Amino acid sequence: MATALIRDRIQEVVAAAIERARTEGTIQLESMPEILVERPGNPDHGDFATSLPLRLARATRINPLKLAETLVELIPQVDEVEKVEAAHPGFINFYLNDSWIQSQVEAVREAGDEYGNVSAGQGQPVMVEFVSVNPTGPVHVGHTRGAVLGSALANTLDAAGYSVTREYYVNDAGTQMEAFYRSIYARYREALGREADFPSNGYAGDYITDLGGEIAEAEGPRFLDMEEGQAVKEIGDIGREKMVALIREDLEEIGVSFDNWFSERSLYMNREYEQAMDLLREKSYLSERDNALWFNSSMLGDDKDNVVVRSSGEPTYFASDIAYHYNKFVKREFQQVIDIWGADHQGHVPRMKAAVEALGIAPDGLTVLISQMVTLKRGAEVVRASKRTGDFVTLKELAEEVGSDACRYFFLARSPSTQMEFDLELAKKESSENPVYYIQYAHARNFSILNLARSRNIDWSVGDVSLLNDPNELNLIRTMIRLPELVDQMARSLEPHHLPHYAMELATAFHWFYENCRVISANPEDNEVTLARLKLVESAQIVFRRSLELMGMNAPERM
């Protein structure tokens, strides 16, 4: 069930006014202009506004304020809008009708857990690929930001009517995996009391020692008498599966799950790597020089060509990525793919876009979001992280210290394009200073009020929402009904970081309502108002729950 957007309704009446003005000859326009309707920063300027007269002033040669006044006269009257006015220097402001605002309490109750869903996606398939770190170690704090971003974005796209596939690309091929396998093999030998040459490019973390010990305990010494290359391969396979299982488990601890775990090795086993390279070769996008194979990405606007096969004959990471996107777009026929990469992949974006275009795919079918670096702080102290040495804070450790909800909220609360600091001390506070606590406490307060009403056998289903006239009540409803617009906006802009800020505004509006409007009154004369306010509380609880669900957070009943 999709929620109709009042913003779209206002766009319709503005379009009707423009069309009438064109028909009557009041304005001369060859085609219908794009109509942008936004919420003003100052509520005194209405619930919605459009700057269309300002944008049309030059084309129509009409003073923008005069044009605004003309259009206001032509805008048809609708039930949702109480007043429309022209404002300097050329805005049209719309003020919603209180009775319509009140009626949205019933609309929210009727929609229930589907409130906030919109139809922007029209069922269109979209893949969101995120996290996708090499399975050479556990997920750490730096990866967690991309994990939360991808998860919340996928939730938002789901709510916006897209058919979403969440995918983790398991980078289980290449030199890094070989170093990982040889590291485990060395620790396996050491666990059995044998000498071992640890690879110079190996992974030295304690988790490698643990993996080697686990394999030694489970498998015994059977790999010691095996030819080393075969032993490394078999131990590596066991280690890889254990690490992928650990990554999956850690991510699920913070509510991040995937529909598909795609193996890089399958690209070679299924010959998709060869097929992708053959396609590029047929289109003259590959050339051999300096004993290597190059992708001629400069033909497509990139600032330089890029190696896809080294002189050793080994495919580069970029070559695997080309094959992977060949699989996404050509084999699985996704029209829209969203990749979420870490900051260290920023320079990889132009060449990947060029490769997609070379494969015959519209470049705008691929969107790459970059998740910037995270600084973890405990008080004034910066907590360092280094995956190579093993000196890093894992996702599991972070979730155990601050909880999964704090992980998700704080990582989501900043635009991924900005660097951020994660304050461990703030994330653990149980006070209004901590936005996670503040928001979840509002939901728990909703639950407590409704439980109290049930314990007194109050049937609020008969409540009359037209009695909700207090400014704090109307402000709460106004805040609640922004959720569908926000879902639509975030799905189009791919910016789910607006959700935490909205949830804070919703919590603030609810707490203000609670402090200023007694919900369950002991005075019999207030019974009708009590019933109406309980309806409001019930609908607010629905919106809180939906907001928390979209962020992937829990909606606690008690705090």
Side-chain angles (χ1 to χ4, degrees), residues 152-191:
L153 177 59
N155 292 346
T156 301
L157 292 169
D158 261 337
Y162 289 86
S163 176
V164 183
T165 296
R166 300 158 172 83
E167 185 154 294
Y168 188 113
Y169 179 47
V170 183
N171 300 118
D172 52 6
T175 55
Q176 287 186 312
M177 291 307 296
E178 183 65 23
F180 175 65
Y181 298 156
R182 290 195 171 277
S183 301
I184 301 172
Y185 176 69
R187 297 309 187 211
Y188 164 81
R189 289 183 62 87
E190 291 172 354

mmCIF file of all heavy atoms in Angstrom, residues 152-191:
data_model
loop_
_atom_site.group_PDB
_atom_site.id
_atom_site.type_symbol
_atom_site.label_atom_id
_atom_site.label_comp_id
_atom_site.label_asym_id
_atom_site.label_seq_id
_atom_site.Cartn_x
_atom_site.Cartn_y
_atom_site.Cartn_z
ATOM 1 N N ALA A 152 20.514 0.522 5.215
ATOM 2 C CA ALA A 152 19.441 1.523 5.328
ATOM 3 C C ALA A 152 18.962 1.974 3.957
ATOM 4 O O ALA A 152 17.762 2.199 3.748
ATOM 5 C CB ALA A 152 19.924 2.722 6.146
ATOM 6 N N LEU A 153 19.892 2.109 2.999
ATOM 7 C CA LEU A 153 19.496 2.502 1.652
ATOM 8 C C LEU A 153 18.613 1.437 1.025
ATOM 9 O O LEU A 153 17.597 1.746 0.390
ATOM 10 C CB LEU A 153 20.738 2.737 0.790
ATOM 11 C CG LEU A 153 20.478 3.098 -0.678
ATOM 12 C CD1 LEU A 153 19.636 4.361 -0.794
ATOM 13 C CD2 LEU A 153 21.790 3.263 -1.431
ATOM 14 N N ALA A 154 18.976 0.174 1.199
ATOM 15 C CA ALA A 154 18.158 -0.922 0.662
ATOM 16 C C ALA A 154 16.776 -0.919 1.299
ATOM 17 O O ALA A 154 15.757 -1.121 0.612
ATOM 18 C CB ALA A 154 18.864 -2.253 0.891
ATOM 19 N N ASN A 155 16.703 -0.687 2.613
ATOM 20 C CA ASN A 155 15.399 -0.597 3.291
ATOM 21 C C ASN A 155 14.556 0.522 2.697
ATOM 22 O O ASN A 155 13.347 0.374 2.486
ATOM 23 C CB ASN A 155 15.599 -0.340 4.789
ATOM 24 C CG ASN A 155 16.226 -1.510 5.518
ATOM 25 O OD1 ASN A 155 16.294 -2.614 4.989
ATOM 26 N ND2 ASN A 155 16.701 -1.266 6.721
ATOM 27 N N THR A 156 15.197 1.660 2.449
ATOM 28 C CA THR A 156 14.497 2.821 1.905
ATOM 29 C C THR A 156 13.977 2.539 0.499
ATOM 30 O O THR A 156 12.832 2.876 0.166
ATOM 31 C CB THR A 156 15.433 4.042 1.893
ATOM 32 O OG1 THR A 156 15.881 4.316 3.220
ATOM 33 C CG2 THR A 156 14.731 5.267 1.340
ATOM 34 N N LEU A 157 14.808 1.931 -0.328
ATOM 35 C CA LEU A 157 14.394 1.595 -1.696
ATOM 36 C C LEU A 157 13.254 0.586 -1.688
ATOM 37 O O LEU A 157 12.339 0.653 -2.515
ATOM 38 C CB LEU A 157 15.590 1.064 -2.490
ATOM 39 C CG LEU A 157 16.683 2.094 -2.797
ATOM 40 C CD1 LEU A 157 17.929 1.413 -3.344
ATOM 41 C CD2 LEU A 157 16.178 3.147 -3.771
ATOM 42 N N ASP A 158 13.300 -0.347 -0.755
ATOM 43 C CA ASP A 158 12.179 -1.284 -0.586
ATOM 44 C C ASP A 158 10.883 -0.519 -0.310
ATOM 45 O O ASP A 158 9.847 -0.775 -0.926
ATOM 46 C CB ASP A 158 12.447 -2.229 0.591
ATOM 47 C CG ASP A 158 12.976 -3.589 0.150
ATOM 48 O OD1 ASP A 158 12.736 -3.983 -1.010
ATOM 49 O OD2 ASP A 158 13.625 -4.255 0.973
ATOM 50 N N ALA A 159 10.956 0.404 0.638
ATOM 51 C CA ALA A 159 9.776 1.182 1.021
ATOM 52 C C ALA A 159 9.299 2.073 -0.116
ATOM 53 O O ALA A 159 8.118 2.433 -0.180
ATOM 54 C CB ALA A 159 10.081 2.031 2.259
ATOM 55 N N ALA A 160 10.202 2.413 -1.031
ATOM 56 C CA ALA A 160 9.849 3.280 -2.163
ATOM 57 C C ALA A 160 9.348 2.485 -3.362
ATOM 58 O O ALA A 160 9.147 3.058 -4.435
ATOM 59 C CB ALA A 160 11.044 4.132 -2.555
ATOM 60 N N GLY A 161 9.187 1.183 -3.192
ATOM 61 C CA GLY A 161 8.561 0.393 -4.249
ATOM 62 C C GLY A 161 9.509 -0.251 -5.234
ATOM 63 O O GLY A 161 9.073 -0.741 -6.280
ATOM 64 N N TYR A 162 10.806 -0.280 -4.930
ATOM 65 C CA TYR A 162 11.761 -0.980 -5.786
ATOM 66 C C TYR A 162 11.848 -2.451 -5.374
ATOM 67 O O TYR A 162 11.568 -2.805 -4.214
ATOM 68 C CB TYR A 162 13.153 -0.355 -5.677
ATOM 69 C CG TYR A 162 13.271 1.006 -6.309
ATOM 70 C CD1 TYR A 162 12.943 2.157 -5.582
ATOM 71 C CD2 TYR A 162 13.694 1.161 -7.625
ATOM 72 C CE1 TYR A 162 13.041 3.423 -6.157
ATOM 73 C CE2 TYR A 162 13.801 2.417 -8.207
ATOM 74 C CZ TYR A 162 13.470 3.539 -7.471
ATOM 75 O OH TYR A 162 13.561 4.789 -8.039
ATOM 76 N N SER A 163 12.254 -3.286 -6.313
ATOM 77 C CA SER A 163 12.550 -4.682 -6.013
ATOM 78 C C SER A 163 14.049 -4.780 -5.775
ATOM 79 O O SER A 163 14.849 -4.740 -6.711
ATOM 80 C CB SER A 163 12.130 -5.586 -7.187
ATOM 81 O OG SER A 163 12.501 -6.920 -6.930
ATOM 82 N N VAL A 164 14.444 -4.881 -4.512
ATOM 83 C CA VAL A 164 15.836 -4.696 -4.121
ATOM 84 C C VAL A 164 16.539 -6.038 -3.901
ATOM 85 O O VAL A 164 16.011 -6.920 -3.228
ATOM 86 C CB VAL A 164 15.930 -3.850 -2.834
ATOM 87 C CG1 VAL A 164 17.394 -3.603 -2.457
ATOM 88 C CG2 VAL A 164 15.202 -2.525 -3.006
ATOM 89 N N THR A 165 17.727 -6.158 -4.470
ATOM 90 C CA THR A 165 18.619 -7.278 -4.173
ATOM 91 C C THR A 165 19.822 -6.732 -3.420
ATOM 92 O O THR A 165 20.517 -5.837 -3.908
ATOM 93 C CB THR A 165 19.096 -7.978 -5.465
ATOM 94 O OG1 THR A 165 17.973 -8.560 -6.131
ATOM 95 C CG2 THR A 165 20.102 -9.079 -5.142
ATOM 96 N N ARG A 166 20.053 -7.274 -2.224
ATOM 97 C CA ARG A 166 21.206 -6.879 -1.419
ATOM 98 C C ARG A 166 22.315 -7.904 -1.663
ATOM 99 O O ARG A 166 22.103 -9.098 -1.438
ATOM 100 C CB ARG A 166 20.831 -6.831 0.063
ATOM 101 C CG ARG A 166 19.719 -5.847 0.408
ATOM 102 C CD ARG A 166 19.055 -6.229 1.728
ATOM 103 N NE ARG A 166 18.114 -5.232 2.202
ATOM 104 C CZ ARG A 166 16.845 -5.142 1.788
ATOM 105 N NH1 ARG A 166 16.381 -5.984 0.878
ATOM 106 N NH2 ARG A 166 16.045 -4.215 2.286
ATOM 107 N N GLU A 167 23.474 -7.440 -2.075
ATOM 108 C CA GLU A 167 24.536 -8.386 -2.450
ATOM 109 C C GLU A 167 25.866 -8.048 -1.790
ATOM 110 O O GLU A 167 26.250 -6.878 -1.694
ATOM 111 C CB GLU A 167 24.698 -8.415 -3.969
ATOM 112 C CG GLU A 167 25.702 -9.463 -4.465
ATOM 113 C CD GLU A 167 25.404 -9.918 -5.877
ATOM 114 O OE1 GLU A 167 24.345 -10.563 -6.074
ATOM 115 O OE2 GLU A 167 26.200 -9.612 -6.780
ATOM 116 N N TYR A 168 26.549 -9.102 -1.380
ATOM 117 C CA TYR A 168 27.920 -9.011 -0.861
ATOM 118 C C TYR A 168 28.822 -9.701 -1.869
ATOM 119 O O TYR A 168 28.617 -10.858 -2.217
ATOM 120 C CB TYR A 168 28.013 -9.715 0.494
ATOM 121 C CG TYR A 168 29.321 -9.541 1.234
ATOM 122 C CD1 TYR A 168 29.371 -8.833 2.427
ATOM 123 C CD2 TYR A 168 30.514 -10.104 0.761
ATOM 124 C CE1 TYR A 168 30.564 -8.683 3.128
ATOM 125 C CE2 TYR A 168 31.707 -9.949 1.444
ATOM 126 C CZ TYR A 168 31.726 -9.239 2.630
ATOM 127 O OH TYR A 168 32.909 -9.087 3.314
ATOM 128 N N TYR A 169 29.812 -8.990 -2.357
ATOM 129 C CA TYR A 169 30.769 -9.531 -3.328
ATOM 130 C C TYR A 169 31.961 -10.082 -2.553
ATOM 131 O O TYR A 169 32.716 -9.328 -1.942
ATOM 132 C CB TYR A 169 31.191 -8.409 -4.282
ATOM 133 C CG TYR A 169 32.203 -8.775 -5.337
ATOM 134 C CD1 TYR A 169 32.078 -9.934 -6.106
ATOM 135 C CD2 TYR A 169 33.285 -7.926 -5.593
ATOM 136 C CE1 TYR A 169 32.997 -10.230 -7.097
ATOM 137 C CE2 TYR A 169 34.208 -8.218 -6.585
ATOM 138 C CZ TYR A 169 34.062 -9.372 -7.329
ATOM 139 O OH TYR A 169 34.971 -9.673 -8.314
ATOM 140 N N VAL A 170 32.103 -11.387 -2.549
ATOM 141 C CA VAL A 170 33.175 -12.034 -1.800
ATOM 142 C C VAL A 170 34.434 -12.048 -2.661
ATOM 143 O O VAL A 170 34.535 -12.806 -3.631
ATOM 144 C CB VAL A 170 32.786 -13.477 -1.401
ATOM 145 C CG1 VAL A 170 33.899 -14.107 -0.564
ATOM 146 C CG2 VAL A 170 31.470 -13.486 -0.631
ATOM 147 N N ASN A 171 35.401 -11.203 -2.322
ATOM 148 C CA ASN A 171 36.661 -11.121 -3.090
ATOM 149 C C ASN A 171 37.556 -12.302 -2.715
ATOM 150 O O ASN A 171 38.499 -12.163 -1.938
ATOM 151 C CB ASN A 171 37.378 -9.798 -2.797
ATOM 152 C CG ASN A 171 36.544 -8.588 -3.172
ATOM 153 O OD1 ASN A 171 36.206 -7.787 -2.313
ATOM 154 N ND2 ASN A 171 36.209 -8.449 -4.431
ATOM 155 N N ASP A 172 37.233 -13.469 -3.261
ATOM 156 C CA ASP A 172 37.942 -14.683 -2.863
ATOM 157 C C ASP A 172 38.924 -15.153 -3.936
ATOM 158 O O ASP A 172 39.170 -16.352 -4.096
ATOM 159 C CB ASP A 172 36.958 -15.793 -2.523
ATOM 160 C CG ASP A 172 35.923 -16.047 -3.621
ATOM 161 O OD1 ASP A 172 36.031 -15.436 -4.693
ATOM 162 O OD2 ASP A 172 34.998 -16.853 -3.390
ATOM 163 N N ALA A 173 39.497 -14.221 -4.702
ATOM 164 C CA ALA A 173 40.514 -14.549 -5.695
ATOM 165 C C ALA A 173 41.626 -13.512 -5.617
ATOM 166 O O ALA A 173 41.440 -12.429 -5.060
ATOM 167 C CB ALA A 173 39.898 -14.572 -7.102
ATOM 168 N N GLY A 174 42.805 -13.861 -6.137
ATOM 169 C CA GLY A 174 43.884 -12.878 -6.219
ATOM 170 C C GLY A 174 44.961 -13.041 -5.166
ATOM 171 O O GLY A 174 44.931 -13.935 -4.317
ATOM 172 N N THR A 175 45.938 -12.133 -5.215
ATOM 173 C CA THR A 175 47.140 -12.249 -4.392
ATOM 174 C C THR A 175 46.851 -12.068 -2.899
ATOM 175 O O THR A 175 47.518 -12.675 -2.066
ATOM 176 C CB THR A 175 48.181 -11.201 -4.830
ATOM 177 O OG1 THR A 175 47.583 -9.897 -4.784
ATOM 178 C CG2 THR A 175 48.653 -11.465 -6.250
ATOM 179 N N GLN A 176 45.874 -11.228 -2.556
ATOM 180 C CA GLN A 176 45.582 -11.027 -1.135
ATOM 181 C C GLN A 176 45.055 -12.308 -0.501
ATOM 182 O O GLN A 176 45.392 -12.633 0.633
ATOM 183 C CB GLN A 176 44.569 -9.890 -0.959
ATOM 184 C CG GLN A 176 45.153 -8.506 -1.205
ATOM 185 C CD GLN A 176 44.155 -7.408 -0.886
ATOM 186 O OE1 GLN A 176 43.009 -7.447 -1.310
ATOM 187 N NE2 GLN A 176 44.598 -6.412 -0.155
ATOM 188 N N MET A 177 44.231 -13.026 -1.242
ATOM 189 C CA MET A 177 43.719 -14.287 -0.715
ATOM 190 C C MET A 177 44.842 -15.316 -0.586
ATOM 191 O O MET A 177 44.887 -16.087 0.382
ATOM 192 C CB MET A 177 42.605 -14.832 -1.610
ATOM 193 C CG MET A 177 41.330 -14.012 -1.576
ATOM 194 S SD MET A 177 40.681 -13.724 0.094
ATOM 195 C CE MET A 177 40.276 -15.400 0.618
ATOM 196 N N GLU A 178 45.780 -15.320 -1.538
ATOM 197 C CA GLU A 178 46.913 -16.248 -1.450
ATOM 198 C C GLU A 178 47.737 -15.953 -0.199
ATOM 199 O O GLU A 178 48.165 -16.875 0.515
ATOM 200 C CB GLU A 178 47.775 -16.120 -2.709
ATOM 201 C CG GLU A 178 48.945 -17.090 -2.761
ATOM 202 C CD GLU A 178 48.528 -18.556 -2.850
ATOM 203 O OE1 GLU A 178 47.396 -18.848 -3.300
ATOM 204 O OE2 GLU A 178 49.349 -19.417 -2.454
ATOM 205 N N ALA A 179 47.963 -14.661 0.095
ATOM 206 C CA ALA A 179 48.693 -14.293 1.308
ATOM 207 C C ALA A 179 47.924 -14.716 2.551
ATOM 208 O O ALA A 179 48.512 -15.164 3.551
ATOM 209 C CB ALA A 179 48.929 -12.773 1.318
ATOM 210 N N PHE A 180 46.607 -14.593 2.507
ATOM 211 C CA PHE A 180 45.742 -15.007 3.619
ATOM 212 C C PHE A 180 45.866 -16.514 3.848
ATOM 213 O O PHE A 180 46.041 -16.979 4.978
ATOM 214 C CB PHE A 180 44.310 -14.610 3.288
ATOM 215 C CG PHE A 180 43.261 -15.064 4.268
ATOM 216 C CD1 PHE A 180 43.250 -14.591 5.565
ATOM 217 C CD2 PHE A 180 42.271 -15.962 3.877
ATOM 218 C CE1 PHE A 180 42.273 -14.990 6.469
ATOM 219 C CE2 PHE A 180 41.286 -16.368 4.767
ATOM 220 C CZ PHE A 180 41.288 -15.889 6.066
ATOM 221 N N TYR A 181 45.794 -17.278 2.764
ATOM 222 C CA TYR A 181 45.882 -18.742 2.879
ATOM 223 C C TYR A 181 47.229 -19.170 3.454
ATOM 224 O O TYR A 181 47.308 -20.041 4.335
ATOM 225 C CB TYR A 181 45.698 -19.394 1.503
ATOM 226 C CG TYR A 181 44.358 -19.153 0.852
ATOM 227 C CD1 TYR A 181 44.221 -19.238 -0.539
ATOM 228 C CD2 TYR A 181 43.226 -18.829 1.600
ATOM 229 C CE1 TYR A 181 42.997 -19.011 -1.155
ATOM 230 C CE2 TYR A 181 42.006 -18.592 0.999
ATOM 231 C CZ TYR A 181 41.900 -18.684 -0.384
ATOM 232 O OH TYR A 181 40.691 -18.462 -0.994
ATOM 233 N N ARG A 182 48.306 -18.560 2.971
ATOM 234 C CA ARG A 182 49.645 -18.935 3.443
ATOM 235 C C ARG A 182 49.855 -18.509 4.898
ATOM 236 O O ARG A 182 50.574 -19.179 5.650
ATOM 237 C CB ARG A 182 50.719 -18.327 2.541
ATOM 238 C CG ARG A 182 50.743 -18.966 1.160
ATOM 239 C CD ARG A 182 51.993 -18.650 0.369
ATOM 240 N NE ARG A 182 52.038 -19.470 -0.840
ATOM 241 C CZ ARG A 182 52.486 -20.722 -0.892
ATOM 242 N NH1 ARG A 182 52.967 -21.284 0.212
ATOM 243 N NH2 ARG A 182 52.482 -21.389 -2.025
ATOM 244 N N SER A 183 49.194 -17.429 5.309
ATOM 245 C CA SER A 183 49.273 -17.001 6.715
ATOM 246 C C SER A 183 48.620 -18.033 7.619
ATOM 247 O O SER A 183 49.167 -18.401 8.673
ATOM 248 C CB SER A 183 48.595 -15.640 6.883
ATOM 249 O OG SER A 183 49.184 -14.654 6.075
ATOM 250 N N ILE A 184 47.452 -18.519 7.218
ATOM 251 C CA ILE A 184 46.754 -19.528 8.023
ATOM 252 C C ILE A 184 47.561 -20.828 8.068
ATOM 253 O O ILE A 184 47.677 -21.469 9.117
ATOM 254 C CB ILE A 184 45.343 -19.805 7.454
ATOM 255 C CG1 ILE A 184 44.501 -18.540 7.438
ATOM 256 C CG2 ILE A 184 44.634 -20.877 8.283
ATOM 257 C CD1 ILE A 184 43.164 -18.695 6.722
ATOM 258 N N TYR A 185 48.139 -21.190 6.916
ATOM 259 C CA TYR A 185 48.929 -22.414 6.844
ATOM 260 C C TYR A 185 50.115 -22.343 7.815
ATOM 261 O O TYR A 185 50.428 -23.312 8.524
ATOM 262 C CB TYR A 185 49.416 -22.636 5.414
ATOM 263 C CG TYR A 185 50.337 -23.825 5.247
ATOM 264 C CD1 TYR A 185 49.859 -25.122 5.396
ATOM 265 C CD2 TYR A 185 51.696 -23.643 4.941
ATOM 266 C CE1 TYR A 185 50.707 -26.218 5.244
ATOM 267 C CE2 TYR A 185 52.553 -24.727 4.791
ATOM 268 C CZ TYR A 185 52.042 -26.015 4.947
ATOM 269 O OH TYR A 185 52.882 -27.100 4.796
ATOM 270 N N ALA A 186 50.774 -21.185 7.859
ATOM 271 C CA ALA A 186 51.907 -21.028 8.771
ATOM 272 C C ALA A 186 51.457 -21.171 10.224
ATOM 273 O O ALA A 186 52.111 -21.860 11.029
ATOM 274 C CB ALA A 186 52.566 -19.666 8.544
ATOM 275 N N ARG A 187 50.338 -20.547 10.568
ATOM 276 C CA ARG A 187 49.838 -20.642 11.952
ATOM 277 C C ARG A 187 49.348 -22.053 12.271
ATOM 278 O O ARG A 187 49.432 -22.502 13.422
ATOM 279 C CB ARG A 187 48.708 -19.623 12.172
ATOM 280 C CG ARG A 187 49.114 -18.159 12.028
ATOM 281 C CD ARG A 187 50.324 -17.790 12.846
ATOM 282 N NE ARG A 187 50.600 -16.361 12.834
ATOM 283 C CZ ARG A 187 51.810 -15.826 12.939
ATOM 284 N NH1 ARG A 187 52.874 -16.623 13.029
ATOM 285 N NH2 ARG A 187 51.978 -14.521 12.936
ATOM 286 N N TYR A 188 48.835 -22.732 11.270
ATOM 287 C CA TYR A 188 48.420 -24.135 11.447
ATOM 288 C C TYR A 188 49.632 -24.988 11.822
ATOM 289 O O TYR A 188 49.587 -25.798 12.766
ATOM 290 C CB TYR A 188 47.778 -24.638 10.152
ATOM 291 C CG TYR A 188 47.657 -26.142 10.040
ATOM 292 C CD1 TYR A 188 46.621 -26.844 10.662
ATOM 293 C CD2 TYR A 188 48.588 -26.863 9.282
ATOM 294 C CE1 TYR A 188 46.526 -28.220 10.543
ATOM 295 C CE2 TYR A 188 48.496 -28.237 9.147
ATOM 296 C CZ TYR A 188 47.471 -28.916 9.781
ATOM 297 O OH TYR A 188 47.364 -30.292 9.666
ATOM 298 N N ARG A 189 50.717 -24.815 11.093
ATOM 299 C CA ARG A 189 51.937 -25.579 11.380
ATOM 300 C C ARG A 189 52.449 -25.250 12.785
ATOM 301 O O ARG A 189 52.828 -26.154 13.551
ATOM 302 C CB ARG A 189 53.014 -25.263 10.342
ATOM 303 C CG ARG A 189 52.725 -25.839 8.954
ATOM 304 C CD ARG A 189 53.879 -25.534 7.990
ATOM 305 N NE ARG A 189 55.130 -26.148 8.429
ATOM 306 C CZ ARG A 189 55.509 -27.397 8.118
ATOM 307 N NH1 ARG A 189 54.737 -28.158 7.367
ATOM 308 N NH2 ARG A 189 56.674 -27.865 8.560
ATOM 309 N N GLU A 190 52.439 -23.974 13.135
ATOM 310 C CA GLU A 190 52.920 -23.575 14.467
ATOM 311 C C GLU A 190 52.057 -24.175 15.568
ATOM 312 O O GLU A 190 52.571 -24.565 16.628
ATOM 313 C CB GLU A 190 52.922 -22.051 14.572
ATOM 314 C CG GLU A 190 53.977 -21.376 13.696
ATOM 315 C CD GLU A 190 53.845 -19.865 13.654
ATOM 316 O OE1 GLU A 190 52.859 -19.338 14.227
ATOM 317 O OE2 GLU A 190 54.726 -19.223 13.066
ATOM 318 N N ALA A 191 50.736 -24.254 15.317
ATOM 319 C CA ALA A 191 49.826 -24.827 16.319
ATOM 320 C C ALA A 191 50.143 -26.290 16.592
ATOM 321 O O ALA A 191 49.863 -26.808 17.677
ATOM 322 C CB ALA A 191 48.385 -24.684 15.853
#
